[in-house]
Amino acid sequence: MQRIADWLEKLDLGQYAQRFAENEFDVSVLRLLTDDDLKELGVSWASSENIRRHQSGCRFDTVTRCAFFRKN
């Protein structure tokens, strides 16, 4: 779960790391998250768009690698 927290931090979305941890998200689930899932987690619309944009173009073999690959 620390990998997801690191990924969120690199996207400047570290404020959501605790919510992801509380819901026991791991890398295998991250790519499956929908807009509704993110909304239920309390992720703002803009942050949700940022997450979705980065998750769609990434290879999730490692979240950290993904964050560096897609970081604007």
Side-chain angles (χ1 to χ4, degrees), residues 7 11 13 49-60 66-67 69-72:
W7 180 71
L11 298 178
L13 299 173
E49 287 299 307
N50 192 10
I51 289 170
R52 301 284 286 152
R53 183 175 15 140
H54 284 85
Q55 86 183 143
S56 65
C58 295
R59 293 184 329 196
F60 281 89
C66 174
F69 178 69
R70 295 289 298 182
K71 184 74 174 155
N72 295 333

Side-chain angles (χ1 to χ4, degrees), residues 13-32:
L13 299 173
Q15 69 269 28
Y16 297 112
Q18 184 64 34
R19 295 178 193 176
F20 278 68
E22 289 168 356
N23 287 280
E24 301 178 3
F25 286 108
D26 64 14
V27 176
S28 66
V29 175
L30 187 60
R31 68 175 157 228
L32 304 175

Side-chain angles (χ1 to χ4, degrees), residues 16 19-20 25 33-45 47-49 51-52:
Y16 297 112
R19 295 178 193 176
F20 278 68
F25 286 108
L33 290 176
T34 66
D35 290 330
D36 288 337
D37 295 330
L38 293 169
K39 184 176 180 178
E40 190 172 320
L41 281 172
V43 176
S44 72
W45 180 86
S47 295
S48 175
E49 287 299 307
I51 289 170
R52 301 284 286 152

